[in-house]
Amino acid sequence: MFRLALLLVAAAMPITASTATDFKPLTWPDLTNRARPAADATISYGDDPFQKVDLWLPAGKGPHPVVLMVHGGCWTTEIADRSLMNWIADDLRKSGIAVWNIDYRGVDRPGGGYPGTFADTARAADLLAENAAKYHLETGHVVAVGHSAGGHLALWLAARAKLPTKSPLRTVHPLKIAHVVSLGGLPDLEATAASPDNGCGTEVVARLVGPRNGDRADPYADTSVPRLLPIGVTQDLVNGEEDRIIPFRLATGYVTKAKAAGDPVTLHTVPNTGHVELIAPETPAWAEAKRLIVAALRK
């Protein structure tokens, strides 16, 4: 299922002077070649094979606290799908936390890009509220967790109430997100598009946000999170000090903008951590992310 070509190329980039250490980062095969745990249920919300959600249910009757999880992969289905998050979803399930792990059509799928990728992400999120009673899920304090490109989508989900009135992505009652934990995310699409050293490249952003035209003069207005600030949601960004895929300045730049807008946002920098470590359950990076998730669910 995985053809992590773009990310593998980025991971193989030579270490710069600022990141030269003896640290040896995890590779994607280090994660994906291990035994893969299975979800408890899969829910469809469309006809495309990727319009699905995997539900990870802990033992017991509930109601279960719930994390809404969004995978990365440069918004490109060929690179990754929701199963990339299986290992941390399983770890949360073992800790008594339900996981609503969503998938969506990437920019390389028919109907993906704008508005499809965003509409899928929104529909998959709203499906959580519709299924909460059936699966005994507590949706009063949902924590969204996204990795890489999924970090952008998790923050975007939390910002949906701020979408422009004329946006086709705006809905009347979007699922309320109480807290976001972004793992090596790409929250600022404009900054990503201007950063040729990011592991996703710059062309994918244009495919994601769609063209500029007479009816839509600013394609970032309803797609890039900084345009929607303040979103009024607590945000934790967890980034690896040795991440060769997502430039660290993309995190610090977004944090500066979010704080200036008045949002409660904190950047957590994890030493000896690359990009894959953020979603590998045995790592200090995931331990930090999990600590933040558990603390957020307790509020």
Side-chain angles (χ1 to χ4, degrees), residues 32-84:
T32 60
N33 286 346
R34 62 184 73 179
R36 182 171 295 160
D40 297 282
T42 298
I43 301 99
S44 297
Y45 63 90
D47 295 331
D48 190 277
F50 293 94
Q51 291 178 312
K52 296 185 186 300
V53 176
D54 283 342
L55 175 60
W56 301 71
L57 274 175
K61 296 181 179 180
H64 306 291
V66 62
V67 160
L68 188 158
M69 191 167 281
V70 193
H71 72 84
C74 300
W75 306 278
T76 304
T77 301
E78 190 180 22
I79 293 177
D81 63 20
R82 66 190 183 280
S83 66
L84 190 62

Side-chain angles (χ1 to χ4, degrees), residues 25-291:
L26 287 179
T27 66
W28 289 114
D30 289 335
L31 178 67
T32 60
N33 286 346
R34 62 184 73 179
R36 182 171 295 160
D40 297 282
T42 298
I43 301 99
S44 297
Y45 63 90
D47 295 331
D48 190 277
F50 293 94
Q51 291 178 312
K52 296 185 186 300
V53 176
D54 283 342
L55 175 60
W56 301 71
L57 274 175
K61 296 181 179 180
H64 306 291
V66 62
V67 160
L68 188 158
M69 191 167 281
V70 193
H71 72 84
C74 300
W75 306 278
T76 304
T77 301
E78 190 180 22
I79 293 177
D81 63 20
R82 66 190 183 280
S83 66
L84 190 62
M85 310 296 273
N86 280 21
W87 294 274
I88 58 173
D90 181 53
D91 185 60
L92 291 175
R93 174 175 61 181
K94 290 174 179 176
S95 298
I97 299 169
V99 178
W100 189 258
N101 185 23
I102 73 171
D103 219 331
Y104 48 88
R105 290 170 295 175
V107 298
D108 55 333
R109 295 289 297 178
Y114 185 90
T117 297
F118 294 92
D120 281 4
T121 303
R123 178 68 185 125
D126 291 342
L127 202 64
L128 169 56
E130 296 173 25
N131 284 271
K134 178 180 179 180
Y135 293 108
H136 309 291
L137 305 175
E138 173 53 59
T139 57
H141 198 87
V142 175
V143 175
V145 176
H147 176 244
S148 197
H152 156 255
L153 291 173
L155 286 161
W156 180 85
L157 285 172
R160 286 168 67 202
K162 300 294 294 293
L163 289 173
T165 304
K166 293 183 179 180
S167 170
L169 301 174
R170 186 176 175 89
T171 54
V172 178
H173 299 295
L175 177 76
K176 183 175 176 57
I177 304 294
H179 196 116
V180 179
V181 179
S182 169
L183 309 175
L186 292 159
D188 188 334
L189 296 183
E190 289 178 277
T192 302
S195 301
D197 59 337
N198 87 78
C200 291
T202 58
E203 292 183 2
V204 68
V205 177
R207 297 172 69 189
L208 176 69
V209 304
R212 190 185 307 269
N213 54 47
D215 294 331
R216 190 162 175 262
D218 183 2
Y220 293 108
D222 59 351
T223 58
S224 189
V225 181
R227 295 297 189 91
L228 305 171
L229 294 172
I231 65 175
V233 173
T234 302
Q235 305 157 53
D236 286 297
L237 276 63
V238 182
N239 283 72
E241 194 173 61
E242 306 289 348
D243 193 333
R244 304 177 200 173
I245 294 174
I246 305 302
F248 193 69
R249 68 178 181 279
L250 295 180
T252 57
Y254 173 76
V255 167
T256 298
K257 291 179 180 179
K259 285 185 174 180
D263 269 344
V265 57
T266 304
L267 176 60
H268 308 262
T269 307
V270 186
N272 295 323
T273 292
H275 201 60
V276 181
E277 286 83 356
L278 294 165
I279 53 172
E282 73 278 8
T283 64
W286 174 245
E288 173 65 2
K290 185 176 179 180
R291 179 188 71 80

